[in-house]
Amino acid sequence: MQRVNTVAELRDTVKAWRSAGQSVALVPTMGNLHAGHLALVNEAQNNADRVVVSIFVNPTQFGVGEDFEAYPRTEAEDRQKLTACGADLLFQPAVSEVYRSGAKTLVSVSGLSEWYCGAFRPGHFDGVATVVCKLFNIVQPNVALFGLKDFQQLTVIRTMVRDLNIPVEIVGVATVREASGLAMSSRNGYLSAEEKTTAAKLYQTLCVARDAILAGQSSYEEIERKAMLFLQASGFQPDYFSVCRVSDLKKADKDDSDLVLLAAARLSKTRLIDNICFSRNPQSRSEALLSKGGGGDLKAKS
Ligand code: PAF
């Protein structure tokens, strides 16, 4: 696997591929790679001739007091994993390569970026949209792959791509889970063994709520209230638990059939997010429900 640190080197390599008629997929990451990231690379290989993986811990998406400095950086292990799974190019720029001094431009997807996680992490999605837009301009991929686990992030990126006419196909890839159901995340490394057992209850709560809706429970407020209480009783400090419609993440009403339940909760110092996406209508063909990897979730291969 080739590794480059500058935009100029990246562009030279991608240009040579393009001249040879090859298509390019981009998998943007912040490193500390786990099975969820490797599933993105795997799916990228099914979608393009060449796969670029970026590793960049993006400072603009971390708020004051968040874990930017402490965010796990595991460069040697990440390189080994990417080589083993056959990625073609690792782009690992320094902060000064991505953000030139005096930069004045920010990409902001209004509304959506202020709800749910955006309400608890002000500015977070502006940082995400800005860096992803820059990566799209730098790499100019045919296709880019993102995990469904960060469902709001995926919706922000899809909206940005639509609104700015960026010529890239966005593919959402199913969440990879541990045997307990806990969604793979770079931040799971902050959890103790005991906390990991509790953390799995976030997904269990989502499953219970989904099953209640599929069984005909139509008071979504009641479902949200019960889920918040259950999470609190289990030791979490929940930020939100919301029944939303897949298309625009607005609160769902009884006429919506494609739903996503979004949840975020803190367990000690670790903030966990997860979601579950499903349809009340078996014929549904919503894009998110047709994500690569099946019905939204995958169990990790051990
Ligand atoms: O999901 C992530 O790892 C990051 O938010 C992303 C998309 C790489 C942007 O920094």
Side-chain angles (χ1 to χ4, degrees):
M1 180 185 63
Q2 198 184 336
R3 178 180 160 219
V4 297
N5 304 112
T6 66
V7 173
E9 292 169 299
L10 181 286
R11 285 203 166 132
D12 283 349
T13 304
V14 171
K15 197 172 164 192
W17 292 342
R18 293 239 176 261
S19 305
Q22 295 178 327
S23 58
V24 179
L26 172 66
V27 178
T29 81
M30 298 206 299
N32 193 231
L33 303 179
H34 51 67
H37 296 112
L38 303 183
L40 298 179
V41 176
N42 201 352
E43 195 51 47
Q45 288 163 332
N46 295 332
N47 278 269
D49 300 312
R50 296 287 190 168
V51 176
V52 178
V53 178
S54 61
I55 296 186
F56 180 64
V57 184
N58 173 35
T60 66
Q61 69 188 77
F62 289 79
V64 178
E66 290 189 351
D67 57 345
F68 174 66
E69 300 296 343
Y71 196 84
R73 287 154 173 93
T74 52
E75 294 177 11
E77 292 92 327
D78 289 350
R79 276 204 295 279
Q80 271 174 6
K81 288 177 188 170
L82 291 175
T83 303
C85 73
D88 295 284
L89 178 66
L90 169 60
F91 178 47
Q92 207 168 8
V95 171
S96 57
E97 181 70 10
V98 175
Y99 294 105
R100 298 297 166 121
S101 68
K104 304 255 181 292
T105 309
L106 193 71
V107 180
S108 185
V109 177
S110 66
L112 186 54
S113 295
E114 283 111 52
W115 312 334
Y116 313 116
C117 281
F120 293 87
R121 304 185 68 191
H124 168 70
F125 288 116
D126 293 349
V128 171
T130 302
V131 81
V132 171
C133 186
K134 285 167 80 68
L135 288 167
F136 287 170
N137 286 330
I138 292 167
V139 180
Q140 303 193 351
N142 302 83
V143 56
L145 298 96
F146 297 86
L148 278 177
K149 174 179 168 278
D150 297 293
F151 200 89
Q152 189 177 3
Q153 166 174 283
L154 180 62
T155 310
V156 166
I157 291 166
R158 282 193 199 283
T159 307
M160 173 187 78
V161 163
R162 184 200 65 195
D163 292 353
L164 299 182
N165 303 92
I166 303 177
V168 61
E169 183 194 349
I170 303 298
V171 172
V173 176
T175 302
V176 179
R177 299 184 179 280
E178 297 191 3
S180 66
L182 175 64
M184 296 263 176
S185 163
S186 297
R187 290 189 169 98
N188 289 354
Y190 298 151
L191 298 167
S192 66
E194 196 185 330
E195 285 169 345
K196 266 194 152 186
T197 307
T198 306
K201 292 192 179 166
L202 185 59
Y203 182 58
Q204 289 159 17
T205 312
L206 286 162
C207 292
V208 168
R210 174 202 55 199
D211 293 348
I213 292 171
L214 290 175
Q217 163 74 265
S218 59
S219 170
Y220 294 162
E221 276 171 19
E222 183 63 6
I223 285 175
E224 290 170 353
R225 197 184 64 80
K226 280 191 179 152
M228 291 288 278
L229 286 175
F230 178 78
L231 290 171
Q232 261 159 11
S234 305
F236 293 90
Q237 292 167 273
D239 283 346
Y240 62 84
F241 190 105
S242 298
V243 182
C244 310
R245 54 188 197 212
V246 162
S247 55
D248 57 8
L249 297 195
K250 291 201 169 136
K251 289 278 192 167
D253 66 33
K254 61 176 179 30
D255 297 326
D256 293 311
S257 59
D258 291 350
L259 303 180
V260 57
L261 312 185
L262 299 176
R266 273 164 297 131
L267 194 53
S268 184
K269 290 193 175 65
T270 311
R271 187 170 187 277
L272 302 167
I273 60 171
D274 203 350
N275 66 78
I276 196 165
C277 200
F278 62 100
S279 181
R280 293 168 52 231
N281 169 8
Q283 306 305 321
S284 176
R285 300 198 56 78
S286 146
E287 196 172 13
L289 297 170
L290 293 172
S291 68
K292 303 289 165 124
D297 291 319
L298 292 175
K299 283 277 190 284
K301 293 190 190 91
S302 50

